[in-house]
Amino acid sequence: MKISVVPNLKNNGVKELCDDIVNKLKAFGAEVIINGEYEWCDAAIAVGGDGTTLNVAKHASLLGKPTLGINAGRLGFMSGLEKDELDLLSRLIEGDYTVEDRMMLKADVVENGVLVSSNICLNDAVISRGDLARLIDVYVTCEGRSVTNTRADGMIVSTPTGSTAYSMAAGGPVVSPDNSCFIVTPICPHSLVNRSIVFSSDTKLELSVGSDINNNCFLSIDGADSIPIHSNTKIIISKSDYTTKLIKLKPDNFYEILNKKILERRN
């Protein structure tokens, strides 16, 4: 089996952990290469936190490759293994694992009727105000019909995978990743009522913004890419044709992981 190991060397202890992972994989008979040769490999291993796993899994999935996350960060909600569980890598080499398919969304940026960029999201697409502490108006339509006009700091459109990330922090619902839907959650709305709306992924959403002339707005893709948007910009949200493939070596289900990684840490 050919494995591409992709570490986030900016995190403390990742280099040493990566060395241990490579040694284990080779001892189990795998061919190993470091840093992102996805076309060459049968599977990718992301070594770091959730951001690393998200980035590696998304890029590997565009080539149909599955990804295993090994947690070297704080939460590791998307990780399949902890750093003290490396002996379980033998299951990967033996083919004793399952693969979870996670839906992704596509966020098309259209200006004056022209497609400017097309972006794939595993977690979320987020519209946010600029560096001034001023609210923006976010307009959401579904299949051409108005849904909401919200004055807020911004709006999050997340996948079920992203429902445990920024969307949850903003008060959105937790959705099991085996669902296929969009969760639209306002960020600090100027309202006495703060409610998320869940849409079927078979629909198309359109978002646009209004703000004063001195303020800029941005679209963030999975917390990384930041795209300036204007009053003549439309963001079209639809289900991506691609799915992210995450390797599971342990029998824990989503709710057990939720309790272990998030709920128990609050107690």
Side-chain angles (χ1 to χ4, degrees), residues 4-264:
S4 180
V5 178
V6 188
N8 181 359
L9 296 176
K10 295 179 182 179
N11 286 6
N12 292 333
V14 167
K15 183 181 184 305
E16 294 77 11
L17 177 58
C18 183
D19 290 341
D20 291 342
I21 291 167
V22 170
N23 290 335
K24 285 283 186 184
L25 290 171
K26 288 182 177 180
F28 294 141
E31 296 181 57
V32 183
I33 192 170
I34 306 293
N35 275 331
E37 293 292 335
Y38 301 123
E39 292 184 355
W40 169 88
C41 71
D42 298 306
I45 292 180
V47 187
D50 282 330
T52 305
T53 300
L54 185 150
N55 184 59
V56 173
K58 186 163 67 170
H59 286 90
S61 291
L62 297 180
L63 294 170
K65 311 291 184 173
T67 298
L68 172 67
I70 298 182
N71 184 29
R74 289 173 293 180
L75 187 61
F77 192 79
M78 295 179 63
S79 299
L81 287 182
E82 299 296 323
K83 56 188 176 183
D84 59 352
E85 298 176 323
L86 299 188
D87 286 339
L88 293 179
L89 288 171
S90 61
R91 296 183 184 176
L92 177 63
I93 309 307
E94 295 164 0
D96 183 18
Y97 62 88
T98 59
V99 175
E100 283 188 352
D101 282 323
R102 303 283 186 92
M103 71 153 280
M104 293 194 283
L105 64 82
K106 183 172 71 163
D108 289 337
V109 180
V110 177
E111 289 188 5
N112 296 317
V114 177
L115 179 64
V116 175
S117 67
S118 188
N119 309 276
I120 304 298
C121 308
L122 173 55
N123 260 7
D124 49 39
V126 179
I127 295 174
S128 60
R129 60 175 174 81
D131 52 4
L132 298 179
R134 298 177 180 174
L135 299 176
I136 58 176
D137 293 303
V138 184
Y139 309 96
V140 181
T141 64
C142 178
E143 303 292 346
R145 294 183 175 273
S146 177
V147 174
T148 182
N149 172 12
T150 304
R151 174 155 284 203
D153 280 354
M155 192 74 75
I156 305 164
V157 183
S158 80
T159 64
T161 296
S163 72
T164 54
Y166 192 8
S167 177
M168 184 182 72
V174 171
V175 179
S176 174
D178 56 1
N179 287 286
S180 185
C181 61
F182 307 128
I183 303 104
V184 177
T185 302
I187 305 168
C188 298
H190 191 243
S191 169
L192 293 175
V193 179
N194 179 11
R195 291 290 183 268
S196 299
I197 303 176
V198 179
F199 296 87
S200 166
S201 62
D202 292 331
T203 61
K204 283 190 177 182
L205 306 180
E206 180 180 298
L207 288 81
S208 58
V209 299
S211 64
D212 63 70
I213 195 170
N214 296 315
N215 199 16
N216 296 315
C217 304
F218 297 90
L219 173 67
S220 175
I221 304 298
D222 278 337
D225 302 319
S226 186
I227 303 167
I229 56 176
H230 313 285
S231 57
N232 61 349
T233 305
K234 296 184 185 301
I235 297 136
I236 312 299
I237 303 292
S238 59
K239 183 180 179 180
S240 172
D241 292 333
Y242 295 98
T243 60
T244 290
K245 302 178 184 300
L246 295 181
I247 293 171
K248 283 179 60 66
L249 298 178
K250 299 186 294 184
D252 300 10
N253 67 25
F254 170 74
Y255 303 102
E256 291 169 326
I257 295 171
L258 182 68
N259 275 283
K260 185 184 300 182
K261 296 285 189 175
I262 296 180
L263 298 180
E264 288 180 1

